[in-house]
Amino acid sequence: MRSRPPLRTAAAGVTIAILAVLVLAADQFAKNAAIAALPSERVVPIIGDFLQFYLVRNPGAAFSLGEGVTWVFTIALAVVACVIVYLGVRRVRSRLWAIVLGLLLGGVLGNLTDRLIREPGFPVGHVVDFISTPWMMPAIYNVADMFIVTMMISVAVLVLFGLKLDGSRETKASRAAAESADGAVDAPADPGAR
């Protein structure tokens, strides 16, 4: 099976940008629809206890942790978005990495948008959460959160399987060769050898 050539810089950046915009649009559309249609802080069963909607505005992080330091989450989301953009522009040549980072960026931008434009105001806006799956976890989340969590798991899987940002794959043999090369460089010179 022939491997595909790596993506060009522009193609990786465009892939990341398109996916990020699509996720951001889906997230903001879903949040605005939830605000317009759902009562605040009341359970609306969709599929029994399997899927419920429960509209809440979250000033903190997961499980409403850190409610008093909302601005910290705004900075953290902005830093993560900048790192992803930097990687997309400078280092990503793998299609898989471009897809994962594009979807992750879209999720990050979805929640960052809430922090910047929603009540009570810039940069401490509350994130709109409305999806509840009590059988799975006690948290209430949104579309952006789903992409953030699943894409962070995907990042871990790509790293675990040794897929580098440029599309090359780190194998046990290449890792052993790199470690032995590092050992040879770090080894002190034999003073008896001339």
Side-chain angles (χ1 to χ4, degrees):
M1 181 173 170
R2 242 175 31 189
S3 65
R4 296 167 75 180
L7 289 175
R8 293 184 183 162
T9 303
V14 167
T15 300
I16 291 171
I18 289 171
L19 292 172
V21 167
L22 290 173
V23 171
L24 173 61
D27 175 67
Q28 291 300 307
F29 175 81
K31 287 173 179 174
N32 289 330
I35 290 168
L38 296 175
S40 184
E41 298 186 15
R42 272 201 354 235
V43 174
V44 177
I46 304 301
I47 307 173
D49 286 340
F50 183 79
L51 174 64
Q52 301 171 344
F53 286 163
Y54 187 87
L55 180 62
V56 63
R57 294 172 191 266
N58 183 359
F63 304 103
S64 296
L65 297 173
E67 292 180 7
V69 289
T70 301
W71 59 273
V72 172
F73 302 118
T74 304
I75 292 171
L77 288 169
V79 167
V80 169
C82 289
V83 168
I84 293 171
V85 169
Y86 171 79
L87 291 174
V89 169
R90 304 295 249 162
R91 308 226 7 233
V92 174
R93 300 296 171 269
S94 160
R95 285 169 182 77
L96 271 176
W97 272 108
I99 291 167
V100 167
L101 291 178
L103 297 174
L104 177 59
L105 179 60
V108 168
L109 291 176
N111 284 345
L112 180 59
T113 299
D114 285 3
R115 298 287 184 203
L116 297 177
I117 68 169
R118 299 213 187 262
E119 296 284 330
F122 180 90
V124 292
H126 296 178
V127 172
V128 175
D129 291 330
F130 63 94
I131 302 169
S132 175
T133 48
W135 60 274
M136 184 171 63
M137 70 175 93
I140 300 167
Y141 51 95
N142 58 48
V143 173
D145 294 335
M146 291 189 299
F147 279 99
I148 291 170
V149 170
T150 56
M151 291 307 108
M152 287 305 297
I153 293 168
S154 298
V155 165
V157 169
L158 291 177
V159 169
L160 184 66
F161 283 99
L163 184 64
K164 296 181 181 179
L165 292 172
D166 65 2
S168 63
R169 190 172 299 277
E170 183 177 358
T171 62
K172 289 180 183 177
S174 67
R175 195 175 317 126
E179 287 172 3
S180 67
D182 286 344
V185 170
D186 295 340
D190 182 4
R194 300 236 185 244

